[in-house]
Amino acid sequence: QVHLVESGGGSVQAGGSLRLSCAASGYTHSTYWMAWFRQAPGKEREGVAAFAKDGYTRYADSVKGRFTISQDNAKNTLYLQMNSLKPEDNAMYYCAAADPATMGWVLSLRGADYAYWGQGTQVTVSS
């Protein structure tokens, strides 16, 4: 059973920063690929950033240059450093994990490619 728990969300003014964390347990952490997604009210879920075990990353165009995804294998924790936050970054942020073989070993930002999900953490950015 894969278990993902997000934390670090909160309220911040535009231009500010937050760091989200996702604590992972219950699977072989050294092999799974992980990602961050977000969903704002009335909008579809959006892939934000993904991280492969060899350090390869992928970002949505909307966050490139502002967000950084990273992973601490010793702590089994995935991070999302979010800088220069904008009101359009308002959303519930979710951590997800998947066996890379199910993606055909191509790092994906599609939610359907990820089998395991956390409960989410809310990010609110005020203008």
Side-chain angles (χ1 to χ4, degrees), residues 31-51:
T31 59
Y32 273 46
W33 290 358
M34 299 183 72
W36 288 98
F37 290 80
R38 65 186 181 186
Q39 188 166 20
K43 294 187 177 181
E44 292 188 355
R45 182 175 56 193
E46 174 189 20
V48 175
F51 186 96

Side-chain angles (χ1 to χ4, degrees), residues 8-10 12 18 20 82 85 89-93 121-125:
V12 65
L18 284 173
L20 305 183
M82 305 186 295
L85 282 161
D89 296 318
N90 271 315
M92 184 71 80
Y93 283 71
T121 185
Q122 179 69 41
V123 171
T124 302
V125 184

Side-chain angles (χ1 to χ4, degrees), residues 37-96:
F37 290 80
R38 65 186 181 186
Q39 188 166 20
K43 294 187 177 181
E44 292 188 355
R45 182 175 56 193
E46 174 189 20
V48 175
F51 186 96
K53 292 305 173 180
D54 59 1
Y56 182 73
T57 57
R58 184 174 177 183
Y59 294 92
D61 289 343
S62 58
V63 305
K64 281 181 181 176
R66 300 189 299 122
F67 291 11
T68 302
I69 189 171
S70 62
Q71 187 163 298
D72 185 331
N73 288 329
K75 296 182 179 179
N76 285 355
T77 301
L78 181 75
Y79 301 101
L80 184 68
Q81 178 66 44
M82 305 186 295
N83 298 328
S84 302
L85 282 161
K86 304 175 181 180
E88 49 263 47
D89 296 318
N90 271 315
M92 184 71 80
Y93 283 71
Y94 299 91
C95 172

